[in-house]
Amino acid sequence: ISDISQATRLDVELARELPDETDLRQVLLPLVAAYHKPLDRAQNDNTNLSSNIRIEGLQNSITVLGHAGRLAQVFQNLIANALSFSPPECPIKILVEKNNERVKVVVEDDGPGIPPNRLEKIFDRFYSERPVTESFGMHSGLGLSIARQIVTAHGGTIHAETRTDEYGSIKGARFIVRLKVPQHD
């Protein structure tokens, strides 16, 4: 119910909020740390689960035009999806690249990939295609729709791909988010 409420309010709220300069380090690093802490506490051995999510490209500050809280929602959803589809021993990869006009954030997993006829459908409201290991009814099917709604409101784009190797074997899924960088005169 909260996902449905959030999805219906989102357009109005995003239209009212003025975008600000947001450092992706301040969005992504705490988010990744939040995923590590509960996992680390759940382990009673010396396994370091901090390696479950790897980030590249955030050595320096990278500023985008947007709302930090809303962008955190996008990346939280993408990371949660990647973790739920990828085998536990396989790390999730987050790659950040910047050019003069855009920042590209890629979230990759080692799961089953996305069927070609579902690459757009997964962004539809209430669409859910979850791993067989998850209980029915645990997801509303709104997460990727909300993520697209937020990214589009920021003047960005989001799309999905299936990762394959040179032989065409499926290696996982990849979500690519492109966001605007602030233009300074």
Side-chain angles (χ1 to χ4, degrees):
I1 291 174
S2 63
D3 284 348
I4 294 169
S5 175
Q6 179 183 356
T8 56
R9 289 190 325 247
L10 196 55
D11 283 332
V12 173
E13 291 175 3
L14 286 169
R16 288 184 195 160
E17 299 172 0
L18 294 174
D20 201 5
E21 292 188 10
T22 301
D23 184 352
L24 279 181
R25 288 174 57 102
Q26 294 176 356
V27 172
L28 288 169
L29 296 178
L31 184 59
V32 170
Y35 276 100
H36 292 158
K37 289 176 184 172
L39 293 172
D40 289 340
R41 278 195 297 262
Q43 293 290 330
N44 291 327
D45 58 19
N46 292 329
T47 305
N48 181 3
L49 291 177
S50 296
S51 62
N52 266 6
I53 303 173
R54 296 186 183 146
I55 300 180
E56 294 178 21
L58 276 183
Q59 295 81 357
N60 299 311
S61 175
I62 294 184
T63 304
V64 297
L65 199 55
H67 310 285
R70 296 298 184 192
L71 293 174
Q73 283 179 272
V74 170
F75 296 116
Q76 178 180 4
N77 176 272
L78 296 179
I79 292 168
N81 279 349
L83 287 169
S84 71
F85 282 97
S86 199
E89 69 279 1
C90 297
I92 305 307
K93 296 168 209 79
I94 302 172
L95 313 165
V96 183
E97 297 175 5
K98 179 183 177 208
N99 65 30
N100 291 335
E101 297 176 12
R102 298 266 180 189
V103 169
K104 178 170 80 170
V105 181
V106 179
V107 179
E108 294 183 343
D109 67 49
D110 292 334
I114 304 163
N117 63 340
R118 301 284 200 276
L119 289 172
E120 277 301 310
K121 184 118 182 103
I122 60 173
F123 292 102
D124 290 350
R125 282 187 178 189
F126 304 113
Y127 181 81
S128 183
E129 192 167 310
R130 305 305 304 175
V132 294
T133 57
E134 289 190 12
S135 301
F136 177 76
M138 297 302 294
H139 299 276
S140 65
L142 288 170
L144 291 175
S145 174
I146 290 170
R148 178 169 270 177
Q149 197 175 358
I150 292 169
V151 171
T152 301
H154 282 79
T157 62
I158 181 173
H159 74 275
E161 302 173 345
T162 293
R163 297 176 39 246
T164 58
D165 64 14
E166 62 270 16
Y167 305 107
S169 297
I170 294 173
K171 293 298 180 187
R174 173 183 295 128
F175 285 84
I176 301 170
V177 176
R178 287 186 171 85
L179 298 166
K180 292 181 178 179
V181 298
Q183 299 299 313
H184 297 109
D185 296 327

